[in-house]
Every structure is written in C-alpha cells, then in structure tokens.
Amino acid sequence: MQIQNTNYSTNFRAKFLNSQSLRAFAEYAVENGKFERLNQARKNIDKAYLTRKLDFELYTTMDGYPYAIFTRYTPKKNVLFPKNREDYEMSEPFIFNSSKKCNPLKFGFELIKKLGNSAPKNNMYKEVVIGSIVK
C-alpha cells in the first residue's frame, strides 16, 4: 500500500456560519480593498481552535449605533461528525456595542480583525471562541 496524500487537513475549524450579515460584510471588505486583512484574520481564527463554529450578525439600534452578536456552536458530545445546527450546542450570545455612530460594516470589520489579532492569546478570542476568559 502506498500513501498518496501526505498533507494533513482537518474538517473541524472555527468557521463562520453563513448569514446575510456575513455576506454583506465580505462585500464591504472587497469594495474597500480590505478583503486580504479580513481573510488573514479569518485564517488566524480558523487555525487556532478546531471544534467551534461562529455565527456573526450585525444590527443597528434605532439611534444609529451598530452592535454585533457572536454565537458559538460546539459539537454535542454524542455526535462524531456534526452536519447541521442540531448537532451543535449553542452558547449564549456575545454582544458588542459601538460607543459611537458609525458604519455597521466598518464596526464589524474592526471586531473580526480584533478577534483574529494574536488569536488564541487575546481575551476577546478566549471569550467568544474558546469559552473561557482569564481575568
């Protein structure tokens, strides 16, 4: 028997679940020439923790202040290969509010960039993706 493929790759990484907010956010990054920075932050998040999926939603209050909601999905203990949302346990939502009125997409971009910076060592990453924060 000969081994054909020697590259190791795993199927489970901290991926973002597909949502309307994420699509609009990616379009904003492409239009403003920031997609490479967004992609690098996503890669930092992906390779640092292997079993999580993240849901990311952007909203704006009536007053015009944007806020973002992250929700962490962890595979259930009795599921070996999760295939849909029912195979995951959902965490409580993590809400990040803006202190000033700004473009919600720019606010979301800065949050994703901050989440990916120095992952898995930063506190935001520990709170949202890993689920434990050192105080």
Side-chain angles (χ1 to χ4, degrees), residues 7-135:
N7 296 333
Y8 173 77
S9 71
T10 180
N11 294 330
F12 302 105
R13 296 182 178 201
K15 303 277 188 201
F16 286 94
L17 296 174
N18 195 6
S19 68
Q20 187 64 28
S21 292
L22 198 60
R23 276 186 236 123
F25 181 68
E27 289 172 9
Y28 166 80
V30 169
E31 289 171 2
N32 292 294
K34 298 179 180 183
F35 188 76
E36 188 55 43
R37 286 190 277 173
L38 173 65
N39 199 33
Q40 186 58 46
R42 183 199 55 83
K43 287 179 184 179
N44 289 345
I45 295 166
D46 285 356
K47 67 183 174 185
Y49 206 76
L50 304 177
T51 60
R52 305 284 194 236
K53 292 202 180 277
L54 299 175
D55 190 16
F56 176 70
E57 295 292 333
L58 279 173
Y59 299 100
T60 305
T61 64
M62 295 293 231
D63 298 333
Y65 293 93
Y67 64 98
I69 300 175
F70 288 98
T71 307
R72 177 181 60 240
Y73 289 87
T74 306
K76 291 181 180 177
K77 300 219 185 287
N78 60 348
V79 177
L80 293 176
F81 300 105
K83 295 178 182 164
N84 53 37
R85 287 192 188 213
E86 288 79 35
D87 295 339
Y88 290 93
E89 292 178 6
M90 185 173 82
S91 73
E92 74 279 357
F94 301 96
I95 301 171
F96 296 93
N97 297 308
S98 175
S99 59
K100 60 183 177 180
K101 293 181 183 180
C102 62
N103 182 348
L105 296 173
K106 182 178 181 183
F107 174 70
F109 177 79
E110 294 300 322
L111 277 178
I112 297 288
K113 197 167 81 171
K114 183 177 178 183
L115 185 65
N117 284 344
S118 302
K121 297 174 186 165
N122 73 39
N123 285 340
M124 183 180 178
Y125 185 88
K126 288 177 184 177
E127 179 182 8
V128 173
V129 178
I130 297 174
S132 64
I133 187 162
V134 179
K135 295 184 179 186

